[in-house]
Amino acid sequence: MSDVSISPGLPQSGLEQPVSVFEMIREDIISGRLEPNERLKVAELSDRYGTSTNPVREALQQLRGEGFVIMEPNRGARVLPIDEAFVRDIIEIEVLIEPTLTRWFVSIATDADIAALEAAQAEIEAVNFSDATRHGQLDTRFHQLIYDRHYNRHAAELWWKHREILRAIARRYPTSLSRRAAVLSEHRELIARIKAQDADGAAAVVAQHVEGSGRHIIEQMGAAKRLRP
Amino acid sequence: MSDVSISPGLPQSGLEQPVSVFEMIREDIISGRLEPNERLKVAELSDRYGTSTNPVREALQQLRGEGFVIMEPNRGARVLPIDEAFVRDIIEIEVLIEPTLTRWFVSIATDADIAALEAAQAEIEAVNFSDATRHGQLDTRFHQLIYDRHYNRHAAELWWKHREILRAIARRYPTSLSRRAAVLSEHRELIARIKAQDADGAAAVVAQHVEGSGRHIIEQMGAAKRLRP
DNA sequence: AATTCAAAAATAATGTACGATCCAATCAAT
DNA sequence: ATTGATTGGATCGTACATTATTTTTGAATT
């Protein structure tokens, strides 16, 4: 394979700003500036991003291909609407993939890798959920340290796509105190298992971590719906 | 969720012909009429399909989003080039997903479902690899009977997408006699496990089936490369 | 004469503009 | 309530401008 990725793929730093219309719309969806289920009118968007309609249409098609946007014939595009079932579906896939990626990491992790993980975790604990967006970034980076090392780029990119979708949802809801505690302790536990070269243990922690994260989001979605249906 | 799929999704019969430019290009990629790594020039394609350039450009963007096409800035689109590592990556994911989908099927399968599976298998054995394309269709349908029943549409669509990619590759290579025998016996074994309500057994057979299929494709790719490098 | 390199031409992607047509949702009138 | 006209917006087509890439050409050097 060349250095050409089949999709935008994983960013190197996570700090660069979007340049293409595609990236800008994508970013607006993930960051929540475009609501789930919101209609995406080509004219509006081309205006918003200061381009003509063609680039917008092409960007929407690409987003459709990636699953961030749905389109109905002659009725245009909408931001992917997300319900509990959708989150559950993604989480079920991640529960299969992430432990597998983690197992590989355990087998190749160096001291430097573990030090990087511990540093990332220290940052997470320092922020301590005071800034939700910042926590999201750091948490993503923590896991990215693990998954980026995997030889299966396809699986890593799938994780990344799911991660972005989940991030787009999760940012609309608060994180409960109990979930916060669980996140921290599971991260610590994960590092410990990696250090101990316990691949199965690490995989089990990750599975629990992913599942807990999914359950938490689904519960928050339900709670929010009960408040304002 | 509504009845709107996030992507073209799974067809009902598998027999209808493509209508949109998107579907036609996709079909030409999967069927091999467009070679892996072949350049996809907008003007050529718009000519080929009798449309203007705009629909072609949008179709290519959508295909890029789905991963069938890669694009480099200012250098246009190419059909996804496929190497052994790519097949391995997809197979590794399928080895995780398909057994899980199968487990669910075992828990909900009715007599009618099993009869349908047996009928599909009978057809496969009747064709007996005499027509590779036909076998491919039937084999896809066999597994589709299982996966279509799953509540996780996201996972089922992922399977479908991977299936199509693998089909596009596999059709370029012959199926060895030993692989043919393995396919038939594994299918029979799978049906037996499902009948016996042995979810773990069925999942194990599927895992072996997927892995064997991947190994076979990779071996054929290697063999072909050794002949004409 | 052969080789190298740079300028120029050709090719093709990308972006803009705009008009035609079609679909479906809304509103009006029967 | 059904039908029919209006209208917003998507879809598709055409044409052309701009920019980047690739190929060709031709001059200069070895």
Side-chain angles (χ1 to χ4, degrees):
Chain A
M1 282 286 208
S2 69
D3 57 346
V4 183
S5 71
I6 54 169
S7 63
L10 292 73
Q12 305 312 326
S13 76
L15 295 171
E16 61 285 287
Q17 22 244 18
V19 281
S20 65
V21 178
F22 165 76
E23 284 166 73
M24 287 191 289
I25 298 178
R26 181 195 178 98
E27 191 53 34
D28 282 348
I29 291 175
I30 290 168
S31 69
R33 282 187 290 275
L34 292 169
E35 303 260 324
N37 215 30
E38 181 173 344
R39 274 197 79 179
L40 297 169
K41 302 181 188 177
V42 172
E44 242 176 47
L45 294 174
S46 66
D47 195 46
R48 173 173 184 158
Y49 301 113
T51 69
S52 63
T53 57
N54 240 349
V56 171
R57 272 153 44 174
E58 285 170 27
L60 290 179
Q61 291 295 341
Q62 195 183 344
L63 287 162
R64 153 146 93 154
E66 290 202 359
F68 284 101
V69 154
I70 59 170
M71 297 183 75
E72 293 174 84
N74 297 315
R75 303 198 47 197
R78 292 176 170 275
V79 178
L80 178 69
I82 288 155
D83 59 11
E84 285 101 325
F86 186 80
V87 173
R88 179 206 61 201
D89 286 357
I90 289 184
I91 291 291
E92 279 182 7
I93 294 172
E94 286 308 305
V95 165
L96 298 173
I97 290 176
E98 295 194 37
T100 303
L101 297 180
T102 302
R103 250 190 219 98
W104 167 259
F105 181 77
V106 171
S107 76
I108 56 131
T110 63
D111 286 336
D113 289 325
I114 291 171
L117 270 184
E118 284 177 329
Q121 174 63 8
E123 270 200 86
I124 289 173
E125 305 210 8
V127 171
N128 195 30
F129 298 92
S130 64
D131 175 350
T133 307
R134 184 89 189 106
H135 171 82
Q137 284 176 354
L138 293 172
D139 190 61
T140 296
R141 206 174 70 195
F142 179 86
H143 294 289
Q144 201 173 357
L145 284 171
I146 297 175
Y147 304 143
D148 256 5
R149 302 295 303 273
H150 204 277
Y151 59 83
N152 191 332
R153 299 323 301 153
H154 208 259
E157 277 176 22
L158 191 59
W159 164 76
W160 180 251
K161 202 175 92 182
H162 288 165
R163 177 91 196 176
E164 283 187 308
I165 293 174
L166 290 174
R167 193 150 60 91
I169 309 160
R171 78 188 300 291
R172 321 189 128 265
Y173 305 102
T175 303
S176 74
L177 290 176
S178 94
R179 180 66 202 149
R180 291 179 183 190
V183 166
L184 295 185
S185 91
E186 281 162 8
H187 277 197
R188 285 192 218 106
E189 180 73 13
L190 176 58
I191 293 175
R193 299 294 175 108
I194 293 167
K195 267 183 173 169
Q197 292 285 296
D198 175 8
D200 289 338
V205 171
V206 167
Q208 188 194 336
H209 190 57
V210 172
E211 215 180 309
S213 149
R215 188 166 33 240
H216 181 261
I217 293 173
I218 290 170
E219 278 165 6
Q220 292 296 323
M221 290 173 83
K225 205 158 53 182
R226 252 169 272 124
L227 282 176
R228 37 157 191 72
Chain B
M1 281 289 212
S2 68
D3 58 345
V4 183
S5 70
I6 52 168
S7 64
L10 293 73
Q12 306 313 325
S13 76
L15 295 171
E16 61 284 288
Q17 36 240 19
V19 281
S20 65
V21 179
F22 166 76
E23 284 166 69
M24 288 190 288
I25 298 178
R26 181 196 178 97
E27 189 53 35
D28 282 349
I29 291 174
I30 290 168
S31 69
R33 282 187 290 276
L34 292 169
E35 304 260 325
N37 214 29
E38 182 172 342
R39 268 196 84 177
L40 297 169
K41 301 181 191 176
V42 173
E44 245 174 43
L45 294 174
S46 68
D47 195 48
R48 172 173 185 157
Y49 301 114
T51 70
S52 65
T53 57
N54 251 352
V56 170
R57 272 149 60 165
E58 286 170 25
L60 289 179
Q61 291 294 340
Q62 196 183 344
L63 287 163
R64 152 147 94 155
E66 291 202 358
F68 284 101
V69 153
I70 60 170
M71 296 184 74
E72 292 174 84
N74 298 315
R75 303 197 45 192
R78 293 176 170 274
V79 178
L80 178 69
I82 288 155
D83 59 11
E84 284 101 325
F86 186 80
V87 173
R88 179 206 60 200
D89 287 357
I90 289 184
I91 290 291
E92 278 182 6
I93 295 173
E94 286 308 305
V95 164
L96 298 174
I97 291 176
E98 295 194 37
T100 303
L101 296 181
T102 302
R103 250 190 218 97
W104 166 260
F105 181 77
V106 171
S107 75
I108 56 131
T110 63
D111 285 338
D113 290 324
I114 291 170
L117 270 185
E118 284 177 329
Q121 174 63 8
E123 270 200 87
I124 289 173
E125 305 210 6
V127 170
N128 194 31
F129 299 92
S130 64
D131 176 350
T133 307
R134 183 91 189 105
H135 171 82
Q137 284 176 353
L138 293 171
D139 189 61
T140 295
R141 205 173 71 197
F142 178 86
H143 294 288
Q144 202 173 356
L145 283 170
I146 297 174
Y147 304 142
D148 257 4
R149 300 296 303 274
H150 205 275
Y151 58 83
N152 190 332
R153 299 322 301 152
H154 208 260
E157 278 176 22
L158 191 59
W159 164 77
W160 180 251
K161 201 175 92 182
H162 287 165
R163 177 91 195 173
E164 282 187 309
I165 293 174
L166 290 174
R167 192 150 60 91
I169 310 160
R171 78 188 303 288
R172 320 190 128 265
Y173 304 102
T175 305
S176 74
L177 290 177
S178 93
R179 179 68 202 149
R180 292 179 183 190
V183 165
L184 296 185
S185 91
E186 282 162 7
H187 279 197
R188 286 193 216 106
E189 179 73 13
L190 176 59
I191 293 175
R193 301 293 175 107
I194 293 168
K195 266 183 174 169
Q197 292 286 294
D198 175 9
D200 288 340
V205 171
V206 167
Q208 189 193 336
H209 190 57
V210 172
E211 216 180 307
S213 150
R215 188 166 33 239
H216 181 262
I217 293 174
I218 291 170
E219 278 165 6
Q220 292 295 323
M221 291 173 82
K225 205 158 53 182
R226 252 169 274 124
L227 281 176
R228 35 157 193 73

